[in-house]
Amino acid sequence: MNQNKPNEHSHNHGILGEKTELYFAILSGVFFFTGLFIEHFSTVQEWSLGCFIAAYFFGGYFTTLEAINKIKKGEFEIDFLMLAAAIGAAYIGSWGEGALLLFLFSLGHALEHYAMNKAKKSIEALGNLSPKIALLKKENELVEIPIESLQIGDVIVIKPNTKVSADGVVIKGKSSINQASVTGESIPVDKYAISSLQTHTEFNDIESKHKVFTGTINGDNVIEVKVLKLSEDSTIARLVKMVSDAETQKSPTQLLTKKFEKWFVPIVILLVVVLCFAYLVIDETFNQSLYRAICVLVAASPCALAISTPSAVLSGIARAAKSGVLIKGGRALEDMGTLTTIAFDKTGTLTEGKPKLTNVIPLSGFDKTNFLSLVLDVESLSNHPLARAISKDIREQYQIETNNQASDMSEIQGKGIKAQYQGDEVFIGNPRLMTDNGIDVSTEIEQQMRDLLQDGETVMLVAYHKELIGLISVMDMPRPFAKDTLQRLKAIGIKNMIMLTGDHQNVGNSIARQIGLTEAKGNLLPEDKVKAIQKLKQRDSKIAMVGDGVNDAPAMANSTVGIAMGAAGSDVALETADVALMSDKIESLPFVIGLSRKSRSIIKQNLWISLGVVAFLVPITMMGWANIGSAVAIHEGSTLLVVINALRLLRYKI
């Protein structure tokens, strides 16, 4: 059978619609069995011949079209071998066996296309997620327009329980949105209006709680969305395009079987021609030699081999896409199944990527609430990410609000900040800021700082009235599911899990201890990450790099498999990675690796089945121990078995 993509079989859409091929195969079977019945139970033998000829027509119609297309391109493939066998059978008067051959071959072909179309359809279903029309807001009235007509900057209204019609940012209202179609997340995600939007803001730079994707489903509230991507550039459109491109990238096993077939088919044709003249050497008629040659021709056709890998690769890619994971082609799918080492970026991959307030330690009898009030008043004047994180956490964790008693805040580069608070100076920063301003840091506080730094925390001292009144520390916390995910990866055979980070080695070690990594490498610049990947590759031969795809692009490009997280919004991640987890969730990693392992084992099973059947049938047909009927039945049975085995991947669950 052939490896063309099902949608290339334009002739499949014949007079009876897209199932014409299947109906023709069934008609071929009906005529074959009618002819068989007449041959055995009736005296009018001509009728049986008429039925067999009709079976030839219906069974051979699509096979002939296929063979002609191939021969035009100078390819002699399996369809050609089958037709040659059927014509040979008719020539020696074995019409019944020829009809059986064409009936089973066309049925196998039709079912194979049906199965491949099923896998394709589950991918194409992604494309149908996009709604066709959008509600455009124009001077306070709503106009229905096709989504192709939307322009960047348009404002659209998304009604409750309808699909979002463009990638954009929520500018009014709040709602929970079901993003399963794009990111594979099973739980709806809350989305809020963004407070201010600069005109030049990029879609990728917007926080995920403000942005929405085409094809996702709105909850119970009305929201207004500003369009930031045209329909052809939307995440879902690019996803569909990339998945269909992915199918055309052959896997290593596919390339190998292609090479094998290239040599195998001419050798079979040569062998069959030689066998036609066996009557010159052994005592049999020309017709008996020809019959044996035709049996061998049927037995040696590598139908099952041709379809074994593509059907498994396509099913694996389709299954992954359904769960919000884009795998770019068979190579990435097979490579992932052999991994034992994974390298991770830290920030935003294993950790939240946002610093959290972890310790508040007031000193010298200073009241904790007063201490926090002072810190909050001063830090809320600063726009520094750390200051913003501290202010946010004091408000949320301790329910304290600002009293606006701080003023004249100024940042001191590389050291911290100073401000006025109730008529006196406040300093928040590192020990150098303190000593520069004549504030004494005792050895026991230095020790306390060292302990916290050892745990990977960033520590800030707080001074007021020229004396230390406490210290606070912040840390980028591990993702909630990171530890559990790494344990599951270990359970499915990933031996080495290494963190590569630009952060301090202490920070790396601390996170590694908390979540169970085998190794952490800190203080790495992007080019150091590339060197680290190359070293690991020499040691373990295959390595995956997991990151958010932006600053990790060079390291990903150098790894065997680059895996990008949160790729739904990031164009860079989609371009550079071999595998893209559309959601921002590291939890889907064990599923992807498990699916790849399963795909590899199914590809192996299929190869053994297909080669085993050929190795079994060729000798027994050469010896004349099997007729065309039994050779065809075993042969086509193995092809169906291979396709059904591959389709199991569509139902894969970890």
Side-chain angles (χ1 to χ4, degrees):
M1 293 195 184
N2 102 337
Q3 289 188 45
N4 277 12
K5 288 198 240 165
N7 55 4
E8 283 173 19
H9 298 283
S10 47
H11 53 257
N12 286 7
H13 299 273
I15 41 178
L16 305 170
E18 63 174 65
K19 288 193 179 159
T20 307
E21 191 176 12
L22 191 60
Y23 296 141
F24 268 39
I26 292 165
L27 281 171
S28 171
V30 168
F31 281 113
F32 164 70
F33 286 113
T34 311
L36 206 61
F37 181 81
I38 292 169
E39 194 175 55
H40 285 89
F41 300 105
S42 163
T43 49
V44 197
Q45 291 300 303
E46 295 78 31
W47 285 86
S48 73
L49 181 63
C51 285
F52 288 146
I53 290 169
Y56 257 68
F57 170 75
F58 287 112
Y61 180 75
F62 283 110
T63 313
T64 309
L65 286 182
E66 200 90 30
I68 291 168
N69 278 344
K70 291 287 175 55
I71 292 164
K72 277 181 189 165
K73 294 181 198 162
E75 296 171 8
F76 289 90
E77 279 194 15
I78 298 151
D79 316 83
F80 173 75
L81 297 185
M82 285 296 158
L83 279 176
I87 293 162
Y91 174 76
I92 55 173
S94 300
W95 284 93
E97 285 169 329
L100 171 66
L101 166 67
L102 286 175
F103 156 55
L104 283 174
F105 184 68
S106 62
L107 181 66
H109 230 189
L111 288 174
E112 171 207 320
H113 291 162
Y114 173 75
M116 294 294 263
N117 272 325
K118 197 175 150 100
K120 289 271 297 191
K121 278 202 174 95
S122 62
I123 287 170
E124 280 162 8
L126 282 173
N128 303 332
L129 289 169
S130 302
K132 304 289 172 271
I133 53 164
L135 275 180
L136 180 67
K137 192 177 182 184
K138 262 192 177 169
E139 286 107 29
N140 292 332
E141 60 169 328
L142 297 179
V143 192
E144 279 195 356
I145 64 162
I147 62 163
E148 293 76 27
S149 313
L150 282 174
Q151 297 299 316
I152 288 174
D154 280 350
V155 174
I156 52 174
V157 172
I158 315 291
K159 291 190 166 173
N161 307 314
T162 61
K163 286 182 179 175
V164 174
S165 31
D167 283 14
V169 59
V170 182
I171 54 169
K172 193 173 174 192
K174 70 170 208 165
S175 189
S176 64
I177 288 191
N178 180 342
Q179 300 194 141
S181 52
V182 175
T183 64
E185 291 166 282
S186 50
I187 297 164
V189 181
D190 290 336
K191 301 286 177 176
Y192 305 92
I194 196 164
S195 48
S196 65
L197 187 67
Q198 280 80 30
T199 45
H200 57 272
T201 306
E202 285 283 313
F203 184 69
N204 299 352
D205 300 336
I206 294 168
E207 274 193 77
S208 60
K209 64 180 178 189
H210 301 308
K211 59 185 176 185
V212 292
F213 302 107
T214 309
T216 54
I217 299 162
N218 186 18
D220 298 333
N221 300 323
V222 178
I223 51 172
E224 289 185 13
V225 171
K226 187 172 189 174
V227 177
L228 293 183
K229 281 190 181 184
L230 299 173
S231 68
E232 66 268 23
D233 299 327
S234 74
T235 303
I236 205 101
R238 303 190 53 220
L239 206 75
V240 175
K241 185 186 175 304
M242 287 185 160
V243 174
S244 24
D245 291 351
E247 292 163 44
T248 58
Q249 295 182 15
K250 301 258 186 294
S251 77
T253 314
Q254 243 167 309
L255 294 170
L256 206 67
T257 51
K258 237 354 196 174
K259 269 186 193 158
F260 174 75
E261 278 172 50
K262 214 171 163 180
W263 286 99
F264 186 70
V265 172
I267 289 169
V268 168
I269 293 172
L270 196 67
L271 176 67
V272 167
V273 170
V274 169
L275 284 173
C276 288
F277 299 101
Y279 72 95
L280 298 173
V281 183
I282 52 177
D283 184 21
E284 62 182 12
T285 64
F286 169 67
N287 277 5
Q288 284 170 322
S289 287
L290 187 59
Y291 184 82
R292 184 206 311 271
I294 292 162
C295 283
V296 171
L297 185 59
V298 171
S301 294
C303 297
L305 184 69
I307 194 66
S308 61
T309 316
S311 58
V313 166
L314 191 63
S315 299
I317 289 173
R319 174 65 190 96
K322 207 171 155 191
S323 292
V325 178
L326 167 62
I327 299 175
K328 293 194 198 167
R331 173 171 288 283
L333 184 72
E334 282 196 38
D335 279 343
M336 253 193 318
T338 61
L339 291 172
T340 55
T341 303
I342 301 181
F344 296 88
D345 169 48
K346 179 185 79 81
T347 310
T349 303
L350 293 171
T351 63
E352 296 280 8
K354 300 182 203 83
K356 274 252 185 297
L357 181 63
T358 44
N359 283 292
V360 174
I361 308 167
L363 302 171
S364 61
F366 210 88
D367 176 66
K368 192 169 186 175
T369 311
N370 293 342
F371 175 68
L372 284 166
S373 270
L374 176 146
V375 173
L376 176 60
D377 275 13
V378 173
E379 293 285 15
S380 54
L381 296 175
S382 169
N383 266 331
H384 190 280
L386 274 184
R388 285 215 300 268
I390 292 166
S391 308
K392 178 172 168 280
D393 286 350
I394 292 176
R395 284 194 186 96
E396 287 175 7
Q397 290 176 29
Y398 298 96
Q399 270 76 50
I400 293 175
E401 281 307 319
T402 42
N403 298 320
N404 300 322
Q405 296 198 356
S407 59
D408 297 338
M409 190 281 301
S410 58
E411 296 197 11
I412 297 150
Q413 198 61 47
K415 293 176 190 169
I417 56 176
K418 75 169 187 174
Q420 289 290 323
Y421 182 78
Q422 295 179 346
D424 215 327
E425 277 187 323
V426 172
F427 296 95
I428 303 178
N430 59 21
R432 272 178 48 216
L433 179 67
M434 301 301 148
T435 47
D436 287 358
N437 289 283
I439 296 156
D440 193 33
V441 181
S442 70
T443 46
E444 98 191 62
I445 288 171
E446 280 178 350
Q447 185 54 50
Q448 216 165 355
M449 279 186 74
R450 269 198 296 274
D451 293 343
L452 289 168
L453 286 167
Q454 206 57 49
D455 289 339
E457 310 229 4
T458 304
V459 185
M460 279 154 284
L461 298 168
V462 183
Y464 182 47
H465 289 310
K466 290 286 184 191
E467 66 169 303
L468 273 186
I469 58 164
L471 50 113
I472 52 176
S473 69
V474 294
M475 187 176 179
D476 184 5
M477 301 300 283
R479 283 173 174 265
F481 293 101
K483 188 174 184 176
D484 180 48
T485 302
L486 295 184
Q487 281 172 345
R488 286 168 64 203
L489 286 172
K490 209 173 204 165
I492 58 171
I494 303 296
K495 295 188 186 73
N496 310 309
M497 289 176 278
I498 298 132
M499 185 205 301
L500 305 177
T501 178
D503 247 344
H504 197 281
Q505 186 68 48
N506 283 350
V507 177
N509 292 344
S510 169
I511 301 276
R513 273 199 306 275
Q514 290 176 55
I515 58 176
L517 286 162
T518 39
E519 206 179 326
K521 293 176 186 286
N523 304 320
L524 301 178
L525 296 168
E527 55 268 32
D528 300 328
K529 285 187 182 181
V530 172
K531 284 180 196 145
I533 289 285
Q534 287 165 344
K535 263 193 193 149
L536 289 165
K537 224 172 166 180
Q538 283 169 1
R539 189 188 80 183
D540 301 330
S541 82
K542 285 192 177 170
I543 179 164
M545 172 74 191
V546 185
D548 55 13
V550 186
N551 55 355
D552 303 313
M556 277 186 191
N558 276 279
S559 58
T560 320
V561 184
I563 303 174
M565 280 181 45
S570 164
D571 300 346
V572 187
L574 275 178
E575 297 301 339
T576 52
D578 304 298
V579 177
L581 312 181
M582 302 312 290
S583 75
D584 202 13
K585 292 193 163 38
I586 195 169
E587 302 91 284
S588 38
L589 209 48
F591 161 78
V592 191
I593 307 260
L595 176 68
S596 306
R597 300 241 155 128
K598 186 76 178 158
S599 304
R600 266 182 62 91
S601 77
I602 281 183
I603 288 168
K604 272 190 189 152
Q605 290 163 15
N606 283 356
L607 290 177
W608 281 112
I609 292 168
S610 45
L611 290 171
V613 166
V614 170
F616 166 72
L617 278 180
V618 170
I620 65 167
T621 46
M622 274 177 79
M623 302 306 291
W625 296 337
N627 63 11
I628 290 183
S630 53
V632 167
I634 295 170
H635 191 275
E636 293 304 319
S638 73
T639 303
L640 288 180
L641 186 63
V642 157
V643 170
I644 291 162
N645 193 29
L647 286 177
R648 287 193 305 144
L649 281 170
L650 287 174
R651 307 181 60 160
Y652 175 80
K653 283 185 179 68
I654 193 158

